[in-house]
Amino acid sequence: MTTMAWDAGQEMFMHKLAVVSGASQGLGLALSCSLFARGADVVLVARRESMLIEAVAEVEKHRAMESQIVRHIVADLTSSTAAESVIANAGRPSPDFVFCCAGGCTAKLLLDTTATELQSSVEINYSTALFLAHASMRAMAKSGPTQYKRSIVFFSSVTHFYPFIGYGSYAPLKSALRTLADVMRQELISYNISVPVVFAGNFLSEGYAQENLTKPAITRKIEGPSEAITAEACAEKVIKGLLSGQQMITTDTIGWLLSGMMLGASPRSNYFFTVIFGIVFAWFAPVFEWFVERDIKNFYKSELKKVQSSESLSTKPMTNE
């Protein structure tokens, strides 16, 4: 059994019930371990039982107290009925913390994306969060307000702040989660329930490795050489954000800087500096976009040349020597 040094997280999460979707791997698993190490009871939710069993064993290594409970529920959260069943069978009338981590990205040009892939992305990146959050908020509201703050946490992406080519089937859905959170936050004020949104940058996971298999060259160029942090480091940044009461949590510097481009009416962290950077980006963004559009045009010219060269080779007459 491993434990971590005492911090404010022990007080915030100890004896609380946390439900984590997408918990069989990646950030969901890392968060489950971090929450369990801070004294929470944790319910891991995902679609594959074999992976969940292994995940529970990994979380168990971080036990803080003998009385803690960690278990799994197999569910496909693209179904509202399944999401309602998860909350109904979580072990208490309502959870204290819900982490909507399920999701995934297939980085491709929209021109190369099938309608089936688009539908799948809607279900994985939006429906899973919508249905789990909806079932959770209804159960939490039914149980009435609590003296301590409860939370339903959405996981968006830094691509919400700056969506660009290659993320057409992904970024719009992550943007929708911010809007959903803004609405839910207002509805749940009187129940003492917060609705933070995490805008994660790149972090190492099975999903990130899969994303890179299909990522177009132009997407890599615009994205730049951003170094991916570990899933464990990302989880700790999320926990730190929750401990400090942030409602808009970024996991790297570029994410925080880009957040100034889309302030809106959502809660802000470091209000003064965020607004200042927002003003700066308002002037700088058109210049940056000019360079991006130039790179995209060059990319398509290069792709067209490849196609023309391939067609030329395929139609070249055979000669006998």
Side-chain angles (χ1 to χ4, degrees):
M1 178 175 71
T2 62
T3 59
M4 63 189 302
W6 179 273
D7 64 15
Q10 259 78 5
E11 184 176 347
M12 183 175 184
F13 297 111
M14 186 170 287
H15 305 304
K16 305 299 192 302
L17 175 63
V19 175
V20 184
S21 71
S24 62
Q25 60 183 8
L27 182 57
L29 176 55
L31 272 169
S32 298
C33 292
S34 185
L35 292 165
F36 202 61
R38 288 176 165 89
D41 293 333
V42 184
V43 176
L44 285 67
V45 184
R47 291 179 295 181
R48 302 176 186 175
E49 185 164 28
S50 59
M51 293 181 67
L52 278 171
I53 291 173
E54 294 178 0
V56 167
E58 181 62 29
V59 173
E60 182 65 46
K61 298 175 183 177
H62 300 267
R63 176 176 292 277
M65 300 177 295
E66 293 299 329
S67 60
Q68 280 180 275
I69 296 172
V70 54
R71 63 190 187 90
H72 72 272
I73 297 178
V74 179
D76 181 353
L77 295 176
T78 61
S79 161
S80 60
T81 303
E84 291 167 359
S85 179
V86 166
I87 298 304
N89 293 285
R92 300 184 194 177
S94 67
D96 299 298
F97 294 92
V98 178
F99 294 84
C100 302
C101 295
C105 174
T106 300
K108 296 171 65 176
L109 301 179
L110 275 173
L111 289 168
D112 297 330
T113 305
T114 66
T116 300
E117 289 173 324
L118 290 175
Q119 181 62 42
S120 176
S121 186
V122 171
E123 293 174 350
I124 293 171
N125 291 299
Y126 185 72
S127 296
T128 57
L130 171 66
F131 293 144
L132 182 61
H134 183 247
S136 300
M137 70 182 290
R138 286 167 64 91
M140 288 172 155
K142 185 176 181 180
S143 65
T146 55
Q147 294 298 315
Y148 58 90
K149 182 77 71 175
R150 294 174 291 177
S151 296
I152 298 173
V153 186
F154 288 110
F155 286 78
S156 182
S157 164
V158 72
T159 59
H160 160 67
F161 298 131
Y162 184 71
F164 56 94
I165 188 169
Y167 290 114
S169 66
Y170 177 75
L173 304 172
K174 292 301 185 178
S175 293
L177 292 180
R178 172 180 173 173
T179 304
L180 176 61
D182 285 346
V183 174
M184 285 180 54
R185 194 177 294 116
Q186 293 178 346
E187 285 200 34
L188 296 174
I189 288 174
S190 61
Y191 295 97
N192 199 23
I193 299 171
S194 68
V195 190
V197 185
V198 177
F199 300 91
N202 288 333
F203 60 88
L204 298 172
S205 67
E206 296 82 354
Y208 180 65
Q210 187 67 32
E211 172 188 329
N212 281 326
L213 293 177
T214 59
K215 187 176 293 182
I218 184 61
T219 305
R220 295 178 187 274
K221 183 170 185 177
I222 296 172
E223 199 168 40
S226 56
E227 185 175 351
I229 62 176
T230 66
E232 290 75 18
C234 189
E236 287 303 310
K237 288 177 180 290
V238 172
I239 294 294
K240 183 178 179 180
L242 293 175
L243 292 175
S244 62
Q246 294 180 35
Q247 295 296 293
M248 304 280 281
I249 301 171
T250 54
T251 62
D252 55 23
T253 302
I254 188 62
W256 182 78
L257 290 173
L258 289 174
S259 69
M261 297 178 65
M262 300 186 70
L263 293 176
S266 301
R268 304 169 189 178
S269 58
N270 298 312
Y271 189 97
F272 177 78
F273 290 105
T274 304
V275 172
I276 293 299
F277 277 114
I279 295 172
V280 172
F281 275 120
W283 288 96
F284 175 74
V287 178
F288 178 74
E289 190 63 19
W290 183 88
F291 284 103
V292 169
E293 289 182 4
R294 181 202 61 183
D295 289 341
I296 291 173
K297 290 177 182 178
N298 290 336
F299 167 76
Y300 276 110
K301 287 180 181 178
S302 175
E303 291 299 300
L304 179 60
K305 288 181 180 178
K306 290 179 182 178
V307 172
Q308 291 173 339
S309 176
S310 176
E311 291 177 347
S312 176
L313 289 174
S314 64
T315 57
K316 187 176 180 179
M318 298 292 292
T319 59
N320 293 321
E321 295 185 2

